[in-house]
Amino acid sequence: YPMKLLPQVSSVILTLQRFPSHSTMNISKSGYRVFSANSTTACTELAKKITERLGVDLGKSVVYQESNRETRVDVKESVRGQDIFIIQTIPRDVNTAIMELLVMAYALKTNCAKNIIGVIPYFPYSKQCKMRKRGSIVCKLLASMLAKAGLTHIITMDLHQKEIQGFFSFPVDNLRASPFLLQYIQEEIPDYRNAIIVAKSPSAAKRAQSYAERLRLGLAVMHGEAQCSESDMADGRHSPPPMSSGRTTSGHPGLELPLMMAKEKPPITVVGDVGGRIAIIVDDIIDDVEDFVAAAEILKERGAYKIYIMATHGLLSAEAPRLIEESAIDEVVVTNTVPHEVQKLQCPKIKTVDVSMILAEAIRRIHNGESMAYLFRNITVDD
């Protein structure tokens, strides 16, 4: 530069150093941003609790539905070069919440965010993770959509099946809510030493065993169901379609397959003594509560004098609050991974455990590049 311009250049540099840009101030302050992709107020409560624990402000954005129900997302601040965490709790309108998350992630990707981490405490469609006759594995489809939208990492909690993590092409941190539920049992259930952990079905026995071992309590398993269970529909390959009388088999004439016998479920039985005990049923999701109500009735008949249900995700759809209120269940304890304030107003038996602490700590550790092992201490493989 000519000598006469040097003072002007120097003054500009000093001015820039004295008054850094807004985005520079944001990066130096925290280096990451936390957004909520929900358009409903009730679903942003968890995001607010997490940001309060982190000591940061919730990112400025607007998420809303157009008159024709299209989802629109407007990000109101710079995210260039930053780690962005999108907190998405899933309300009853599951598909709208998924679309909000996808559009938000893609908007952040196109605005040059460095990393986009989805915080999805309850992962939707997690029950559709197995092939069912001529259906599809929808959970795998959702994982591909999230990756295509721009997500680079996911934080979730108590996946319905741990193998779901294999559907993703990026890292997944599957946190556990069991430490918070165990703490509730120890602090809020009087005489919990006289309790017994109950698995509602053999498939839930491993989770129940994990709780029983950490609480030093006994274990009971319920077997047999009055209705067709989810596991019966897991694979349709054992039940070929019936052949009409006018059709002939197209197989090899010399091929004779062994006769396939249909399952016959025994009546509900309880393996383990629950007489004079507090029965604590543990599961990952409580949605339609008919099975839990039936299990509570059986446990009452077997002599249990109090019935508790502990679950991570309280979806509590349809008539769940009324059925719980009218049942033999004394208390239903769920976490705040899913908003259920309306259901709590309808049924005072529903209690909530806050898990925002572990989600906030996971965000902090991922941003700082710290190990996540501390969040999984004393967690068993089967939990």
Side-chain angles (χ1 to χ4, degrees), residues 86 94 96-97 113 138 148 201 219 223 231 245 270 309 335 366 375:
I86 309 174
V94 176
T96 298
V138 184
K148 192 67 176 178
S201 63
L219 175 67
H223 175 59
S231 59
S245 57
V270 181
I309 295 177
T335 71
I366 288 174
L375 303 182

Side-chain angles (χ1 to χ4, degrees), residues 260-300:
M260 298 179 184
M261 299 182 65
K263 284 184 179 180
E264 290 187 8
K265 281 187 169 293
I268 297 178
T269 57
V270 181
V271 181
D273 183 17
V274 298
R277 301 285 192 90
I278 300 171
I280 303 175
I281 304 174
V282 298
D283 212 334
D284 61 329
I285 300 173
I286 175 169
D287 189 0
D288 297 323
V289 298
E290 284 85 356
D291 290 345
F292 291 93
V293 171
E297 293 292 342
I298 296 295
L299 293 172
K300 278 286 186 181

